[in-house]
Amino acid sequence: MAVENDRYIGRKTTILLIMAIIAFCYMLQLLNLQIFSSNYKEVAENQGFLHKTKYPARGLIYDRNGKLLVYNKPAYDVMVVMREVEPFDSLDFCRAVNVSIEDLRKMFSDIKHSVGYSRYTPQLLISQLSIEEYAVLQEKLFKFPGFYIQDRTLREYTYPCAAHALGSVGEVSQRDIDSDAYYRRGDYAGKNGVEKFYEKELRGEKGVEILLRDVHGRLKGSYRDGELDVAPVSGKNIRISIDIDLQQYAEGLMVNKIGSIVAIEPESGEILSLVSSPSFNPSDLVGRQRGKNFHRLMADPLKPLLDRPMMARYPPGSTFKPLQALILQKEGIITPSTLYPCHNGFVFGGLRVGCHGHSSPLDMRHAIQTSCNGYFCWGYKALLDRKKYGTIQATFESWKQDVVSFGFGYKTGVDFPNENRGYIPNAGVYDKVYGVKGWKGLTIISNAIGQGEIITTPLQLANYCCAIANRGWWITPHIAKEIEGGSIDPKYHEKHITNVPFQYFESVIDGMEMSVTGGTSRVAGMDSIVVCAKTGTAQNPHGKDHSIFMCFAPRENPKIVIAVFVENGGFGATWAGPIASLMLEKYLNGKVPDRKKYLEERLYHANLIESAASAYKRSDASKQKNQKKP
Amino acid sequence: MRREQSITKTVDKMTVAIYVILVLMGCLAVYCASYDFDNHTLLSGLVDWNQRACKQLVWAGVGGFLAVMVLLVNARIFDVFAYLFYGAILALLIVTIFIAPDIKGSHSWLVLGPVSFQPAELAKAATALAVAKCMSQYEFRLEGIISYVRVCILFMLPMVLIILQNETGSALVYMSFFLVLYRKGMPGVLLYLAVVAVTLFVLTFKFANVYIQDGETGNLGLLLSQMAIVASMFGFLIVMYKNMEMVGLCAKVLLGTVVVARLVNFFITVDYTWFGYAYILFFAVYAIIMSIRKLKKSFLLLALFAAGSVVFCLSGDYLFDNVLQPHQQSRINVLLGVEDDPTGAGYNVNQSKIAIGSGGFFGKGFLKGTQTKLDYVPEQTTDFIFCTVGEEFGFLGCMTVIGLFLLLMWRLVVIAERQTESFNQVYCYSVVSIIFFHFMINIGMVIGIMPVIGIPLPFFSYGGSSLWGFTLLLFILLRLDASRLER
């Protein structure tokens, strides 16, 4: 039948209109999906890509002579993407990675409650499997969808020493993550020492590999043939100024003693040796045993984790006297030939500062040689009671500035993250205690001989000795010697000039040399090298005095400065002196002469820990008592 | 007078061109969707028989051969043998139910050695021919219930058989013949009623669990449905009865009811839907009174509509719970946003929206899509092929495809309208309707507007049966059109 006089011809338009309306609606929905909704792209990224972090190798650390100290060994982290985990044989898994089922449950719940948790991204489940554990797990990994292995590196140490100087590497804390966008949960960063201070240089740059992941979580190769991948950049290697042989020798000498040693090359400010005793093996703080060992060390009453050279606070005792001699000369109170009397001490009014037997009266050189308390008390009193600056406050401030110019009282700026500033009081402190008019030279006479309120760190003492060795200047101590492809901070090349001019030094150094040749420091004497030294004995309210010794050698063009603190060691010459002496021999001559072998023997067998331990107990007890007081 | 002209001159070249473009784009999309990142030489996908893109190219070649064959036969064959084709295909559909293996619950595939084939795809062309034959018979008019029954039986029979094969999606395609009936004179009110029914259904379910105030004063779904019913009744009054006097009165009463309902609820809590029912009742009664007073039967229809709609809304729940299968219920719930389940029933649509949405305006670029290739989108070469277009070619690509389909359908309507033979015209409209239905449902489903009904996108989706089915459908049309000038 043919089509004829069609009444419904207009419906053609209706039909076309319906089609157009539908197409238009679809266009609107496509606009909505493809142009106005932004989150689809993100969801697609999360689903289709696995951003696998490629960790760079951490920079290696060498000693000043190029000996390798710290390197990397492979370790394997188990990562989990929760979205992809299917029910699995947890017992089998536990056996493979050697954890208990309870621990595994705890790990999963920890992950879920951690900040930044996402079901879509890999989360750290177990860190640092050894290569053996990894091998076992790798075999079975196909049974555990959602679990991945992340290659990591761990620190490995060639020498079991220098733990405090090198520092350690640990998992980043939430604070690290918040303060530096570079870090993600489960990353590692230096926690102290060189590892922390030079973290940015050592860590390198993480890379990323973009892998395609299908709906079943299977990896389907790299995206665009790795075009967008970023290769990791290895960390920079660092040569530190530590002489590892000297370091190891020094640590041996400090066994069973509490204290610190700082050795510096005065000309450059480079730290040659940095001993904190008691110490530990740096390998203890690596890998999965890190947490356990860390807690053990934390709980140790002798505080092995305390970085004593940087943080311990001691009165400098008699080692402070050369500085006093310098300032008194500079202020015109004394000349090297000025004589003061001392008959077993300084007696003035009702006050008495004891001394030991020596000839009297004596000049400055002999006062240093014999470590005469009386001489410096007379000098200090004369300085403070003089009216040149008007008030005692002004005089004291001037003296303080001179002391500070030797690196005391403020942080030296050493390249360590945890330096203590020590303490040199200002006049205001005494004003507060005694009233503005209530004090004079005699009131604070203990400062004359490095007691009283004067506090130094071992590092500051060594640095001050450098200033003497250099006759009036010092370079901020530092441990970094060379950074591969970079340079160390220029501030470590700057000379700090002391307030005491060059010409006053030689006479003081004479005194220090005489101390070695015929005074308190005789133990440090060397056969062919002129050694200058000063002993110190710091009074300690909790027990036996601390034994202190500082020295430099040779007298001309000094190569090394050593400062030694032995807690509860008694006189400076008893323990600290022999240790410094042996180190001088070792560093300058390469070996210890036979006539000093007995010192080595004595040191190796000495155990000062027990007396020190009881002192620590007393100190802790008094702290608690103090805390109870409001 | 019979003019013999070469088919190459008479065939509608524009349609052929669009067909070729769509099929080639389809092959490209299949290649993209099935591209494997692991074996990525550009050509390996095209020459490896195990790859879908390669197979699709072969299917397209066979399709081209089929097309040429169809163009070469005598156009009269389709008219003369229409019922024969139809009968044969019905027989094949019945056989298929019994001998087809169970593939995911469906019994629609005939497996002949390495080749599988879905007879339902051919049934569309055969049914279109049968419907055209029926409606072009001498003295056939779409008047009276008998004529409707005759035509409806023709396309309902294959529909039922395909439902028996458990291919509900493919069966629904036969609903598109109503559009043909509309063009040939079915009252528009039926189409209107269908739209109202769908609207009521959506409203009732979408807002079934939303309450207007504190869960006391009525269910929002029901209230919205009532509003839709009232709006439709006003529509009837204005458009069909053109009785403005009644419109005015009903509007005043409506306003009054709303005000009373609000005031009453200030004092005591009364379910708003009761006022709704009261108003609809008033409307129905008023229509009956008017029909008696004016002696006009057609006003009764209005009352009938009111009653029917209310019953429809109230029984919707029952129908939904007892007639639909759980997976169908769930699909509808997800589509309406009643159920939010991105990993369950909503997974497919959610993933396809992610894939399309992540394409942006220009797309990620050829072979750069990840969501489809990494199997996040299910059925990415067949029902969800449009995702690949959206992901790799973006909004531009999508609009190109939609534009091409729109152009094709417009062209086919133009062709249909220039037919002088009723048989040809009905057949053409059948083809337009079927393609439109596939286009609307498939793309609507992929972009999350329509429920998930698994039917392919014509010429695009991977699969020989579907491609050949549409090729036959289209080229029979072109053959008939070409013959228009032959006599």
Side-chain angles (χ1 to χ4, degrees), chain B residues 59-88:
Chain B
W59 303 152
V62 175
F65 176 73
L66 264 178
V68 172
M69 294 294 288
V70 169
L71 289 179
L72 289 178
V73 299
N74 187 329
R76 300 291 305 156
I77 284 179
F78 302 113
D79 193 346
V80 172
F81 294 113
Y83 283 139
L84 191 66
F85 290 142
Y86 180 73

mmCIF file of all heavy atoms in Angstrom, chain B residues 59-88:
data_model
loop_
_atom_site.group_PDB
_atom_site.id
_atom_site.type_symbol
_atom_site.label_atom_id
_atom_site.label_comp_id
_atom_site.label_asym_id
_atom_site.label_seq_id
_atom_site.Cartn_x
_atom_site.Cartn_y
_atom_site.Cartn_z
ATOM 1 N N TRP B 59 35.019 -9.271 11.656
ATOM 2 C CA TRP B 59 33.543 -9.184 11.672
ATOM 3 C C TRP B 59 33.084 -8.031 10.768
ATOM 4 O O TRP B 59 32.112 -8.161 10.041
ATOM 5 C CB TRP B 59 32.996 -8.905 13.076
ATOM 6 C CG TRP B 59 33.342 -9.863 14.184
ATOM 7 C CD1 TRP B 59 33.419 -9.542 15.507
ATOM 8 C CD2 TRP B 59 33.613 -11.266 14.105
ATOM 9 N NE1 TRP B 59 33.743 -10.649 16.246
ATOM 10 C CE2 TRP B 59 33.868 -11.728 15.410
ATOM 11 C CE3 TRP B 59 33.695 -12.187 13.058
ATOM 12 C CZ2 TRP B 59 34.193 -13.054 15.710
ATOM 13 C CZ3 TRP B 59 34.013 -13.510 13.352
ATOM 14 C CH2 TRP B 59 34.257 -13.923 14.660
ATOM 15 N N ALA B 60 33.809 -6.920 10.825
ATOM 16 C CA ALA B 60 33.428 -5.768 10.009
ATOM 17 C C ALA B 60 33.539 -6.127 8.526
ATOM 18 O O ALA B 60 32.676 -5.759 7.723
ATOM 19 C CB ALA B 60 34.302 -4.573 10.348
ATOM 20 N N GLY B 61 34.594 -6.891 8.192
ATOM 21 C CA GLY B 61 34.748 -7.327 6.798
ATOM 22 C C GLY B 61 33.580 -8.184 6.365
ATOM 23 O O GLY B 61 32.970 -7.964 5.304
ATOM 24 N N VAL B 62 33.232 -9.149 7.219
ATOM 25 C CA VAL B 62 32.082 -10.010 6.916
ATOM 26 C C VAL B 62 30.827 -9.148 6.803
ATOM 27 O O VAL B 62 29.983 -9.354 5.918
ATOM 28 C CB VAL B 62 31.917 -11.093 8.003
ATOM 29 C CG1 VAL B 62 30.662 -11.912 7.748
ATOM 30 C CG2 VAL B 62 33.142 -11.985 8.046
ATOM 31 N N GLY B 63 30.723 -8.155 7.708
ATOM 32 C CA GLY B 63 29.575 -7.250 7.672
ATOM 33 C C GLY B 63 29.495 -6.522 6.343
ATOM 34 O O GLY B 63 28.412 -6.403 5.759
ATOM 35 N N GLY B 64 30.648 -6.052 5.865
ATOM 36 C CA GLY B 64 30.678 -5.362 4.577
ATOM 37 C C GLY B 64 30.204 -6.277 3.459
ATOM 38 O O GLY B 64 29.425 -5.877 2.582
ATOM 39 N N PHE B 65 30.648 -7.527 3.512
ATOM 40 C CA PHE B 65 30.221 -8.511 2.525
ATOM 41 C C PHE B 65 28.708 -8.695 2.568
ATOM 42 O O PHE B 65 28.031 -8.670 1.537
ATOM 43 C CB PHE B 65 30.955 -9.833 2.815
ATOM 44 C CG PHE B 65 30.544 -10.953 1.930
ATOM 45 C CD1 PHE B 65 30.943 -10.984 0.591
ATOM 46 C CD2 PHE B 65 29.755 -11.989 2.414
ATOM 47 C CE1 PHE B 65 30.565 -12.031 -0.228
ATOM 48 C CE2 PHE B 65 29.370 -13.031 1.603
ATOM 49 C CZ PHE B 65 29.778 -13.058 0.273
ATOM 50 N N LEU B 66 28.197 -8.833 3.810
ATOM 51 C CA LEU B 66 26.746 -8.971 3.994
ATOM 52 C C LEU B 66 26.015 -7.781 3.379
ATOM 53 O O LEU B 66 25.005 -7.938 2.691
ATOM 54 C CB LEU B 66 26.424 -9.003 5.487
ATOM 55 C CG LEU B 66 26.251 -10.349 6.165
ATOM 56 C CD1 LEU B 66 25.978 -10.154 7.648
ATOM 57 C CD2 LEU B 66 25.091 -11.107 5.521
ATOM 58 N N ALA B 67 26.553 -6.585 3.650
ATOM 59 C CA ALA B 67 25.926 -5.359 3.170
ATOM 60 C C ALA B 67 25.826 -5.388 1.646
ATOM 61 O O ALA B 67 24.771 -5.100 1.064
ATOM 62 C CB ALA B 67 26.726 -4.150 3.638
ATOM 63 N N VAL B 68 26.942 -5.764 1.013
ATOM 64 C CA VAL B 68 26.947 -5.808 -0.449
ATOM 65 C C VAL B 68 25.939 -6.823 -0.955
ATOM 66 O O VAL B 68 25.167 -6.566 -1.891
ATOM 67 C CB VAL B 68 28.374 -6.135 -0.960
ATOM 68 C CG1 VAL B 68 28.358 -6.375 -2.456
ATOM 69 C CG2 VAL B 68 29.329 -5.015 -0.596
ATOM 70 N N MET B 69 25.897 -7.982 -0.302
ATOM 71 C CA MET B 69 24.946 -9.020 -0.690
ATOM 72 C C MET B 69 23.517 -8.484 -0.639
ATOM 73 O O MET B 69 22.723 -8.686 -1.549
ATOM 74 C CB MET B 69 25.055 -10.232 0.257
ATOM 75 C CG MET B 69 26.364 -10.975 0.163
ATOM 76 S SD MET B 69 26.586 -11.770 -1.429
ATOM 77 C CE MET B 69 25.408 -13.104 -1.284
ATOM 78 N N VAL B 70 23.230 -7.804 0.484
ATOM 79 C CA VAL B 70 21.873 -7.282 0.657
ATOM 80 C C VAL B 70 21.548 -6.282 -0.452
ATOM 81 O O VAL B 70 20.455 -6.293 -1.019
ATOM 82 C CB VAL B 70 21.720 -6.614 2.042
ATOM 83 C CG1 VAL B 70 20.418 -5.833 2.123
ATOM 84 C CG2 VAL B 70 21.764 -7.670 3.137
ATOM 85 N N LEU B 71 22.529 -5.444 -0.784
ATOM 86 C CA LEU B 71 22.276 -4.432 -1.804
ATOM 87 C C LEU B 71 22.071 -5.053 -3.185
ATOM 88 O O LEU B 71 21.456 -4.452 -4.050
ATOM 89 C CB LEU B 71 23.439 -3.436 -1.848
ATOM 90 C CG LEU B 71 23.542 -2.486 -0.658
ATOM 91 C CD1 LEU B 71 24.740 -1.569 -0.814
ATOM 92 C CD2 LEU B 71 22.268 -1.664 -0.496
ATOM 93 N N LEU B 72 22.627 -6.262 -3.371
ATOM 94 C CA LEU B 72 22.547 -6.858 -4.695
ATOM 95 C C LEU B 72 21.267 -7.649 -4.944
ATOM 96 O O LEU B 72 20.916 -7.915 -6.074
ATOM 97 C CB LEU B 72 23.766 -7.764 -4.941
ATOM 98 C CG LEU B 72 25.080 -6.996 -5.134
ATOM 99 C CD1 LEU B 72 26.236 -7.956 -5.324
ATOM 100 C CD2 LEU B 72 24.970 -6.029 -6.304
ATOM 101 N N VAL B 73 20.563 -8.034 -3.868
ATOM 102 C CA VAL B 73 19.355 -8.836 -4.102
ATOM 103 C C VAL B 73 18.196 -7.925 -4.504
ATOM 104 O O VAL B 73 18.245 -6.707 -4.309
ATOM 105 C CB VAL B 73 18.953 -9.672 -2.862
ATOM 106 C CG1 VAL B 73 20.056 -10.646 -2.506
ATOM 107 C CG2 VAL B 73 18.580 -8.764 -1.713
ATOM 108 N N ASN B 74 17.196 -8.546 -4.991
ATOM 109 C CA ASN B 74 16.004 -7.834 -5.413
ATOM 110 C C ASN B 74 15.243 -7.336 -4.192
ATOM 111 O O ASN B 74 14.985 -8.082 -3.262
ATOM 112 C CB ASN B 74 15.123 -8.801 -6.230
ATOM 113 C CG ASN B 74 13.952 -8.061 -6.851
ATOM 114 O OD1 ASN B 74 13.454 -7.077 -6.275
ATOM 115 N ND2 ASN B 74 13.523 -8.518 -8.004
ATOM 116 N N ALA B 75 14.872 -6.088 -4.205
ATOM 117 C CA ALA B 75 14.234 -5.477 -3.046
ATOM 118 C C ALA B 75 12.898 -6.147 -2.712
ATOM 119 O O ALA B 75 12.451 -6.141 -1.568
ATOM 120 C CB ALA B 75 14.034 -3.992 -3.280
ATOM 121 N N ARG B 76 12.263 -6.724 -3.703
ATOM 122 C CA ARG B 76 10.942 -7.323 -3.474
ATOM 123 C C ARG B 76 11.008 -8.507 -2.502
ATOM 124 O O ARG B 76 10.031 -8.829 -1.848
ATOM 125 C CB ARG B 76 10.332 -7.796 -4.806
ATOM 126 C CG ARG B 76 10.138 -6.709 -5.827
ATOM 127 C CD ARG B 76 9.041 -5.724 -5.443
ATOM 128 N NE ARG B 76 7.764 -6.389 -5.173
ATOM 129 C CZ ARG B 76 6.811 -5.892 -4.408
ATOM 130 N NH1 ARG B 76 6.993 -4.708 -3.829
ATOM 131 N NH2 ARG B 76 5.679 -6.535 -4.225
ATOM 132 N N ILE B 77 12.180 -9.136 -2.492
ATOM 133 C CA ILE B 77 12.348 -10.298 -1.616
ATOM 134 C C ILE B 77 11.905 -9.992 -0.195
ATOM 135 O O ILE B 77 11.212 -10.770 0.440
ATOM 136 C CB ILE B 77 13.832 -10.729 -1.611
ATOM 137 C CG1 ILE B 77 14.154 -11.469 -2.910
ATOM 138 C CG2 ILE B 77 14.143 -11.624 -0.405
ATOM 139 C CD1 ILE B 77 15.590 -11.894 -2.995
ATOM 140 N N PHE B 78 12.299 -8.797 0.285
ATOM 141 C CA PHE B 78 12.037 -8.474 1.700
ATOM 142 C C PHE B 78 10.555 -8.335 1.972
ATOM 143 O O PHE B 78 10.075 -8.716 3.032
ATOM 144 C CB PHE B 78 12.790 -7.193 2.080
ATOM 145 C CG PHE B 78 14.268 -7.317 1.853
ATOM 146 C CD1 PHE B 78 14.919 -6.571 0.884
ATOM 147 C CD2 PHE B 78 14.998 -8.239 2.608
ATOM 148 C CE1 PHE B 78 16.263 -6.707 0.672
ATOM 149 C CE2 PHE B 78 16.359 -8.367 2.385
ATOM 150 C CZ PHE B 78 16.998 -7.610 1.419
ATOM 151 N N ASP B 79 9.862 -7.794 1.009
ATOM 152 C CA ASP B 79 8.420 -7.652 1.143
ATOM 153 C C ASP B 79 7.751 -9.022 1.042
ATOM 154 O O ASP B 79 7.014 -9.443 1.927
ATOM 155 C CB ASP B 79 7.931 -6.713 0.031
ATOM 156 C CG ASP B 79 6.497 -6.256 0.280
ATOM 157 O OD1 ASP B 79 5.831 -6.878 1.141
ATOM 158 O OD2 ASP B 79 6.066 -5.288 -0.350
ATOM 159 N N VAL B 80 8.126 -9.738 0.014
ATOM 160 C CA VAL B 80 7.463 -11.007 -0.263
ATOM 161 C C VAL B 80 7.744 -12.038 0.823
ATOM 162 O O VAL B 80 6.844 -12.727 1.290
ATOM 163 C CB VAL B 80 7.921 -11.538 -1.650
ATOM 164 C CG1 VAL B 80 7.386 -12.954 -1.874
ATOM 165 C CG2 VAL B 80 7.455 -10.594 -2.751
ATOM 166 N N PHE B 81 8.990 -12.132 1.223
ATOM 167 C CA PHE B 81 9.335 -13.195 2.185
ATOM 168 C C PHE B 81 9.371 -12.735 3.635
ATOM 169 O O PHE B 81 9.891 -13.427 4.495
ATOM 170 C CB PHE B 81 10.687 -13.812 1.810
ATOM 171 C CG PHE B 81 10.657 -14.551 0.516
ATOM 172 C CD1 PHE B 81 11.356 -14.096 -0.590
ATOM 173 C CD2 PHE B 81 9.907 -15.741 0.391
ATOM 174 C CE1 PHE B 81 11.329 -14.778 -1.776
ATOM 175 C CE2 PHE B 81 9.890 -16.423 -0.808
ATOM 176 C CZ PHE B 81 10.599 -15.950 -1.905
ATOM 177 N N ALA B 82 8.831 -11.547 3.900
ATOM 178 C CA ALA B 82 8.916 -10.996 5.253
ATOM 179 C C ALA B 82 8.432 -11.980 6.312
ATOM 180 O O ALA B 82 9.133 -12.245 7.301
ATOM 181 C CB ALA B 82 8.125 -9.694 5.346
ATOM 182 N N TYR B 83 7.244 -12.561 6.114
ATOM 183 C CA TYR B 83 6.706 -13.474 7.130
ATOM 184 C C TYR B 83 7.524 -14.743 7.222
ATOM 185 O O TYR B 83 7.655 -15.347 8.284
ATOM 186 C CB TYR B 83 5.236 -13.793 6.823
ATOM 187 C CG TYR B 83 4.305 -12.652 7.198
ATOM 188 C CD1 TYR B 83 3.235 -12.286 6.383
ATOM 189 C CD2 TYR B 83 4.513 -11.949 8.397
ATOM 190 C CE1 TYR B 83 2.392 -11.239 6.740
ATOM 191 C CE2 TYR B 83 3.682 -10.900 8.749
ATOM 192 C CZ TYR B 83 2.620 -10.543 7.934
ATOM 193 O OH TYR B 83 1.804 -9.521 8.289
ATOM 194 N N LEU B 84 8.088 -15.147 6.081
ATOM 195 C CA LEU B 84 8.900 -16.356 6.083
ATOM 196 C C LEU B 84 10.142 -16.153 6.960
ATOM 197 O O LEU B 84 10.461 -16.981 7.815
ATOM 198 C CB LEU B 84 9.317 -16.690 4.647
ATOM 199 C CG LEU B 84 9.945 -18.075 4.469
ATOM 200 C CD1 LEU B 84 8.921 -19.171 4.751
ATOM 201 C CD2 LEU B 84 10.516 -18.211 3.073
ATOM 202 N N PHE B 85 10.794 -14.999 6.712
ATOM 203 C CA PHE B 85 11.968 -14.681 7.546
ATOM 204 C C PHE B 85 11.576 -14.680 9.017
ATOM 205 O O PHE B 85 12.253 -15.229 9.882
ATOM 206 C CB PHE B 85 12.525 -13.290 7.191
ATOM 207 C CG PHE B 85 13.190 -13.222 5.841
ATOM 208 C CD1 PHE B 85 13.060 -12.097 5.027
ATOM 209 C CD2 PHE B 85 13.973 -14.277 5.390
ATOM 210 C CE1 PHE B 85 13.672 -12.031 3.790
ATOM 211 C CE2 PHE B 85 14.594 -14.209 4.154
ATOM 212 C CZ PHE B 85 14.443 -13.076 3.354
ATOM 213 N N TYR B 86 10.456 -14.015 9.259
ATOM 214 C CA TYR B 86 9.983 -13.851 10.638
ATOM 215 C C TYR B 86 9.725 -15.203 11.286
ATOM 216 O O TYR B 86 10.183 -15.489 12.393
ATOM 217 C CB TYR B 86 8.708 -12.995 10.613
ATOM 218 C CG TYR B 86 8.101 -12.742 11.973
ATOM 219 C CD1 TYR B 86 8.704 -11.868 12.881
ATOM 220 C CD2 TYR B 86 6.907 -13.366 12.354
ATOM 221 C CE1 TYR B 86 8.130 -11.626 14.120
ATOM 222 C CE2 TYR B 86 6.333 -13.130 13.589
ATOM 223 C CZ TYR B 86 6.945 -12.254 14.467
ATOM 224 O OH TYR B 86 6.381 -12.014 15.695
ATOM 225 N N GLY B 87 9.021 -16.074 10.543
ATOM 226 C CA GLY B 87 8.718 -17.410 11.065
ATOM 227 C C GLY B 87 9.998 -18.180 11.348
ATOM 228 O O GLY B 87 10.146 -18.826 12.398
ATOM 229 N N ALA B 88 10.929 -18.097 10.383
ATOM 230 C CA ALA B 88 12.178 -18.846 10.538
ATOM 231 C C ALA B 88 12.923 -18.394 11.783
ATOM 232 O O ALA B 88 13.436 -19.211 12.565
ATOM 233 C CB ALA B 88 13.046 -18.658 9.297
#
